[in-house]
């Protein structure tokens, strides 16, 4: 009908056109659990997934579907599933692909809960993981075994900000016939679209920059539709017989969309981590301004990087856009618009100085989140990553003095002034 | 199911059920550059009713290997041989776009084979402009993106869809991208060259159903209506969508198909 719309336009419109009856311009919040069937024939067809439509909001909902379609459009994927959190998305993918006896290769430098799920929870169900350095493609290739069902990592690692060389790792995965699953929370489709670099499945915590306002927890799995699941022995959960729906093969019946349909039919149906329609609406409101916000996030991040680098009390600053970052060249190649708005840094005086700094700033909020429109700070060692063992903490690149800063959209002068307040408190401490 | 047919690995979707030769078999034939997935909301829907369903991937399309058929006549012969191989005898043919031309040719050459024909977004001629044919061979990805973009009505451009979480565009691009890159140009040329449609349409003796789309830019409504005028006993239905009406208006289309089949039996 029309030519393909560009990213900014899709951020505002994709997944929805005004409904014919009311003309509602905004996506309506379909605050309902269930949908009246036209007749018994339609009910049976919906239950059996023979035809599109909604039957119960644990499985799908029109407001949530608009969000899913918007995400799939922004990532250039075939389809998507939105769910109750980023962790729910991760769990849904792992359980869709892996069964007892299967194996995962994952980055050792990731968000604490991503590591914990794979290191401690999944082994209880017979799924084991080998953790490898995300920027060591050879190690990733060597770790792949005949029972490996996915390679997993964060494009930009939380909180160490290691960058995965996605094109190189995607080539390895393709050669080995293993899907590359990436957590793209820190980059969002605005900074980088992993499918264009060969990734196969994307996981998002929508809680962060996509939602962008710190008001709703949500997650999503976007399906690239670019992986061949045809090997029944290797991927029985996708191309083998499903336990319901008449024993169909999702791969044969749904082709590129097979993974999404599998997760809908099993994960959403049996585990039930559904996203509320109201939260889907909030998250979509956020996505409408994603391009504007990401530009400003990156602008403020770059200004704050210079500020911190020049500051006497800053021991070190780490960000992939800095030439000193070990993954700077990879970042430049795959994240040309910038490597996200999280900065990690250490203050002279170590852990105590860091605590004083966090407690002395006023504008920046001390809390457990990233990707809010507001500036946020935390000490990962004692909070987000505190459940990690000392060994895992070292492997994930965490140091005692590390402060994680999520740069917000405030006026940069005000953020700097606020930080000066924190630094003054630190220098008093040091006297 | 996968079978070895004419020496090539060939995929025939059966809507998740086994073929039952005692039932009426609905034979769905996809259009240019498509495959069985263009009938994703019809195959299982009808296989779970009182019908047997086959939706083959033509050679070089979807999961089927083999050398693509270069003309509409070759496609019709391939389908004739396939239904004989599968020992089907009570057949209703459903074609989409190029599949309609193939249905016309099949019925002309084997007038006793089919009990009914359903033409979806069809016509007796499907001229294809040279620009698109050239693009299909020079830049496959651009060509199919263009076809999917043109092929959907207003709903498509905004990535809306009726399978939750899927959009018409997302599905459309990926379905076409599954095929062997060489097949799109071959299909488009086969459509463009085919000139037997008028004669074949006039020879149809069986009752037919045609479902056309108001905003079809690939086989325009005007051309579809002229085609219907050639048919003796055709019921016409028009839907307010684009060329891919099986994806855009599945419920309405399935209702039309069901009611036609009930009258036929
Ligand atoms: C990279 C990354 N992935 C996943 C998650 C989990 O997301 P959620 O809190 O939405 O479950 C987080 C949360 O901090 C994260 O930073």
């Amino acid at each position: 009908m029309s030519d393909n719309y560009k990213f900014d336009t899709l951020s505002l419109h994709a997944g929805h056109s005004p409904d014919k009856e009311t003309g509602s311009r905004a996506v309506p919040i379909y605050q309902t659990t269930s949908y009246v069937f036209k007749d018994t024939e339609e009910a049976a067809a919906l239950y059996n997934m023979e035809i599109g439509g909604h039957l119960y909001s644990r499985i799908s909902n029109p407001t949530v579907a608009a969000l899913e379609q918007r995400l799939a459009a922004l990532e250039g994927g075939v389809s998507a599933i939105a769910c109750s959190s980023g962790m729910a998305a991760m769990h849904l993918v792992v359980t869709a692909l892996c069964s007892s006896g299967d194996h995962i290769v994952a980055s050792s430098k990731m968000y604490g809960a991503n590591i914990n799920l794979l290191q401690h929870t999944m082994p209880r169900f017979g799924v084991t993981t080998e953790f490898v350095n995300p920027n060591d493609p050879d190690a990733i290739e060597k770790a792949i075994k005949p029972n490996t069902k996915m390679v997993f990592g964060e494009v930009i690692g939380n909180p160490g900000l290691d960058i995965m060389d996605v094109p190189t790792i995607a080539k390895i995965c393709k050669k080995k016939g293993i899907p590359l699953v990436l957590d793209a929370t820190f980059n969002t489709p605005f900074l980088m679209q992993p499918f264009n670099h060969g990734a196969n499945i994307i996981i998002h915590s929508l809680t962060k920059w996509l939602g962008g306002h710190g008001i709703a927890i949500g997650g999503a799995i976007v399906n690239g539709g670019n992986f061949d699941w045809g090997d029944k022995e290797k991927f029985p959960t996708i191309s083998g017989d499903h336990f319901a729906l008449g024993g169909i093969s999702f791969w044969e019946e749904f082709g590129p969309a097979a993974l999404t349909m599998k997760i809908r039919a099993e994960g959403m149906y049996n585990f039930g981590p559904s996203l509320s329609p109201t939260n889907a609406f909030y998250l979509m409101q956020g996505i409408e301004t994603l391009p504007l916000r990401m530009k400003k996030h990156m602008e403020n991040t770059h200004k704050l990087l210079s500020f911190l680098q020049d500051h006497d009390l800053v021991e070190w600053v780490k960000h992939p856009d800095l030439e000193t970052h070990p993954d700077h060249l990879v970042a430049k190649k795959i994240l040309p618009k910038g490597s996200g708005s999280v900065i990690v840094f250490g203050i002279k005086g170590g852990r105590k100085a860091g605590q004083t700094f966090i407690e002395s700033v006023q504008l920046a909020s001390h809390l457990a989140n990233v990707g809010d429109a507001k500036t946020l700070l935390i000490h990962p060692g004692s909070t987000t990553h505190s459940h990690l063992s000392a060994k895992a903490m070292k492997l994930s690149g965490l140091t005692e003095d590390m402060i994680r800063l999520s740069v917000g959209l405030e006026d940069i002068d005000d953020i700097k002034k606020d930080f000066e307040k924190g630094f003054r408190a630190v220098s008093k401490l040091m006297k | 199911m996968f079978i070895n047919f004419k020496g090539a690995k060939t995929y025939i979707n059966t809507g998740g059920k086994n073929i039952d030769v005692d039932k009426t078999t609905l034979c769905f034939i996809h259009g240019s550059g498509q495959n069985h997935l263009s009938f994703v909301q019809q195959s299982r829907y009808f296989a779970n009713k009182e019908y047997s369903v086959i939706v083959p991937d033509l050679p070089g399309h979807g999961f089927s290997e083999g050398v693509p058929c270069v003309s509409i006549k070759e496609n019709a012969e391939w389908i004739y041989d396939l239904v004989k191989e599968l020992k089907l005898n009570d057949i209703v043919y459903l074609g989409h776009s190029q599949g309609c031309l193939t249905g016309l040719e099949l019925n002309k050459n084997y007038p006793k084979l089919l009990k009914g024909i359903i033409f979806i977004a069809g016509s007796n001629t499907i001229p294809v402009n040279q620009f698109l044919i050239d693009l299909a061979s020079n830049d496959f990805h651009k060509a199919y993106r263009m076809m999917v973009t043109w092929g959907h009505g207003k709903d498509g451009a905004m990535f809306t869809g009726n399978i939750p979480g899927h959009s018409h565009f997302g599905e459309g691009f990926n379905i076409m991208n599954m095929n062997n890159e060489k097949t799109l140009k071959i299909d488009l040329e086969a459509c463009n060259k085919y000139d037997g449609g008028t004669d074949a349409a006039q020879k149809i003796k069986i009752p037919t159903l045609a479902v056309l789309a108001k905003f079809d830019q690939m086989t325009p409504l005007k051309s579809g209506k002229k085609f219907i005028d050639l048919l003796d006993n055709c019921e016409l239905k028009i839907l307010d969508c684009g060329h891919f009406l099986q994806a855009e208006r599945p419920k309405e289309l399935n209702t039309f198909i069901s009611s036609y089949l009930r009258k036929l039996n």
Side-chain angles (χ1 to χ4, degrees):
Chain A
M1 182 75 195
S2 161
D3 203 11
N4 291 331
Y5 289 114
K6 300 228 165 65
F7 192 91
D8 292 11
T9 310
L10 292 176
S11 301
L12 288 159
H13 291 274
H16 174 68
S17 49
D19 80 82
K20 288 188 184 74
E21 275 173 32
T22 65
S24 169
R25 180 56 277 187
V27 180
I29 301 176
Y30 287 95
Q31 193 66 49
T32 184
T33 57
S34 346
Y35 309 83
V36 178
F37 302 122
K38 199 175 85 212
D39 49 37
T40 49
E41 199 168 79
E42 184 189 271
L46 281 168
Y47 258 93
N48 207 28
M49 295 177 104
E50 294 162 17
I51 195 153
H54 306 282
L55 66 103
Y56 188 57
S57 288
R58 191 177 78 235
I59 301 152
S60 69
N61 166 282
T63 312
V64 178
L67 167 66
E68 293 168 338
Q69 286 153 211
R70 186 165 302 178
L71 288 166
L74 292 176
E75 289 288 14
V78 59
S79 48
I81 289 215
C83 54
S84 53
S85 69
M87 287 319 300
M90 170 72 176
H91 178 258
L92 284 168
V93 170
V94 170
T95 49
L97 298 184
C98 302
S99 306
S100 179
D102 288 341
H103 177 253
I104 296 169
V105 174
S107 159
S108 58
K109 299 183 178 179
M110 300 195 292
Y111 173 56
N114 277 345
I115 291 187
N116 278 333
L117 175 72
L118 300 180
Q119 190 172 30
H120 299 295
T121 310
M122 291 319 295
R124 287 201 281 118
F125 301 92
V127 177
T128 54
T129 296
E130 182 163 345
F131 291 96
V132 288
N133 194 333
N135 24 38
D136 186 350
D138 288 342
I140 291 173
E141 180 159 8
K142 278 200 200 100
I144 294 173
K145 300 200 283 195
N147 60 340
T148 302
K149 297 297 155 78
M150 58 187 263
V151 170
F152 179 68
E154 293 169 2
V155 175
I156 304 171
N158 175 11
L161 309 181
D162 299 81
I163 306 292
M164 271 191 126
D165 184 349
V166 180
T168 305
I169 294 162
K171 271 195 207 104
I172 293 168
C173 290
K174 187 157 187 187
K175 188 173 83 183
K176 297 274 189 179
I178 313 284
L180 176 59
V181 185
L182 292 178
D183 181 327
T185 301
F186 272 45
N187 49 291
T188 80
F190 178 80
L191 294 178
M192 187 261 217
Q193 293 159 307
F195 297 146
N196 290 342
H197 298 278
N200 306 107
I201 300 164
I202 294 169
I203 289 175
H204 280 295
S205 166
L206 304 175
T207 319
K208 311 289 153 45
W209 291 265
L210 275 157
H213 296 80
I215 55 172
I217 302 276
I221 302 144
V222 189
N223 174 10
N226 55 354
F227 188 79
D228 184 341
W229 302 102
D231 184 345
K232 264 191 197 185
E233 302 288 312
K234 181 128 198 156
F235 300 107
T237 58
I238 309 295
S239 52
D241 300 343
H242 183 60
F243 56 82
L245 307 179
I248 59 164
S249 152
F250 283 96
W251 175 236
E252 288 185 26
E253 298 304 330
F254 302 108
L259 176 79
T260 316
M261 295 307 265
K262 169 72 181 182
I263 293 175
R264 185 90 62 200
E266 185 180 48
M268 300 311 284
Y269 204 93
N270 299 351
F271 307 145
S274 43
L275 179 66
S276 87
T278 304
N279 275 354
F281 176 85
Y282 288 143
L283 294 166
M284 252 182 297
Q285 275 304 106
I287 293 173
E288 291 200 356
T289 56
L290 178 74
L292 288 174
R293 286 186 291 105
M294 289 312 287
K295 275 178 216 153
K296 179 82 194 276
H297 273 302
M298 290 320 305
E299 194 186 306
N300 275 359
T301 298
H302 291 141
K303 286 181 181 159
L304 216 52
L305 277 173
S306 309
F307 169 80
L308 290 171
Q309 274 184 307
D310 292 345
H311 206 285
D312 290 343
L313 285 175
V314 174
E315 183 80 42
W316 56 271
V317 188
K318 196 171 172 195
H319 188 276
D321 290 346
L322 297 177
E323 279 176 19
T324 50
H325 192 282
D327 301 330
H328 177 65
L329 290 179
V330 180
K332 235 167 99 168
K333 189 172 72 174
I334 66 172
L335 293 150
K337 290 189 215 165
S339 315
S341 60
V342 168
I343 298 173
V344 285
F345 64 102
I347 296 182
K348 284 182 186 155
R351 185 173 179 147
K352 184 81 189 108
Q355 282 169 344
T356 305
F357 181 83
I358 287 176
E359 283 166 9
S360 310
V361 291
Q362 282 172 6
L363 187 62
S365 311
H366 176 205
L367 54 75
N369 195 19
V370 287
D372 196 322
K374 303 174 181 86
T375 295
L376 316 174
L377 281 169
I378 202 163
H379 177 242
S382 58
T383 55
T384 52
H385 290 66
S386 61
H387 301 293
L388 295 187
S389 64
K391 190 174 157 222
M393 216 177 277
K394 189 154 179 257
L395 266 180
S396 71
L398 250 90
T399 54
E400 271 280 301
D401 61 344
M402 178 190 279
I403 290 176
R404 185 184 72 188
L405 157 65
S406 175
V407 182
L409 307 178
E410 296 93 345
D411 189 295
I412 189 66
D413 294 336
D414 292 332
I415 303 177
K416 285 184 194 167
K417 258 193 246 163
D418 190 43
F419 276 32
E420 283 297 2
K421 225 177 272 164
F423 285 126
R424 273 199 299 276
V426 171
S427 49
K428 258 192 223 150
L429 180 82
M430 288 165 84
K431 270 184 201 148
Chain B
M1 63 180 186
F2 286 90
I3 61 168
N4 190 318
F5 179 58
K6 294 177 181 279
K9 183 178 167 191
T10 300
Y11 178 72
I12 300 154
N13 183 284
T14 55
K17 298 270 178 179
N18 293 330
I19 294 175
D20 182 349
V21 291
D22 294 333
K23 292 180 178 172
T24 298
T25 298
L26 309 185
C27 171
F28 290 87
I29 299 297
H30 63 76
S32 305
Q34 300 288 317
N35 58 52
H36 73 280
L37 293 168
S38 65
F39 294 108
V40 76
Q41 295 186 78
Q42 283 74 40
S43 51
R44 294 183 54 248
Y45 182 86
F46 286 103
N48 281 292
K49 302 212 163 16
E50 66 267 34
Y51 305 102
S52 189
V53 165
I54 63 162
V55 198
D57 280 344
L58 295 172
H61 297 72
F63 299 141
S64 286
E65 294 168 3
V67 185
C69 304
V70 296
S71 65
I72 297 301
K73 184 160 192 308
E74 252 189 45
N75 273 302
E77 290 302 317
W78 189 91
I79 291 160
Y80 178 78
D81 292 342
L82 180 72
V83 301
K84 289 293 146 195
E85 170 93 9
L86 299 174
K87 303 191 169 44
L88 306 177
N89 43 46
D90 183 15
I91 306 165
V92 174
Y93 181 100
L94 301 92
H96 174 239
S97 193
Q98 177 183 333
C100 295
L101 300 182
T102 309
L104 286 169
E105 185 67 16
L106 181 68
N107 181 70
K108 187 188 82 179
N109 299 340
Y110 304 99
K112 294 210 168 64
L113 185 70
L114 308 175
K115 185 163 75 174
I117 309 177
I118 300 176
F119 298 103
I120 303 166
S123 184
N124 52 322
T125 61
I126 305 184
V128 181
N129 71 44
Q130 196 58 41
F131 169 77
L132 184 60
I133 295 175
D134 291 341
L135 194 64
S137 73
N138 301 331
D139 191 342
F140 169 65
H141 296 281
K142 196 164 174 189
Y144 74 67
R145 288 189 80 88
M146 200 171 255
M147 285 176 69
V148 169
T149 310
W150 286 342
H152 287 90
K154 229 179 23 212
D155 303 354
M158 285 313 173
F159 286 81
T160 56
N162 43 40
I163 301 181
H166 302 219
S167 60
H168 298 304
F169 274 18
E171 294 247 313
F173 296 147
N174 280 280
I175 289 174
M176 294 191 76
N177 188 30
M178 282 172 78
N179 295 346
N180 174 334
E181 293 201 14
K182 297 201 179 73
T183 57
L184 182 58
K185 173 175 184 261
I186 294 170
D187 285 349
L188 295 175
E189 276 183 330
C191 285
N192 199 36
K193 278 188 305 208
Y194 184 63
D195 60 5
T198 305
D199 177 41
Q202 284 163 339
K203 288 205 164 89
I204 295 179
K205 301 278 190 297
I206 48 179
T208 55
L209 167 69
V211 190
L212 304 177
K214 215 159 150 181
F215 306 108
D216 192 335
Q217 296 190 71
M218 318 282 273
T219 49
L221 184 61
K222 217 161 103 185
S223 155
K225 280 185 168 166
K226 270 195 206 153
F227 164 54
I228 306 308
D229 287 343
L230 300 169
L231 301 170
D232 242 359
N233 185 5
C234 180
E235 183 185 350
L236 171 63
K237 299 281 185 191
I238 298 172
L239 288 170
D240 66 332
C241 60
H243 184 63
F244 292 106
L245 55 187
Q246 6 23 333
E248 291 179 75
R249 297 286 181 271
K251 283 186 188 160
E252 292 88 337
L253 177 65
N254 291 2
T255 305
F256 296 153
I257 295 173
S258 293
S259 106
Y260 166 82
L261 292 172
R262 272 196 295 270
K263 278 185 250 169
L264 204 60
N265 279 327

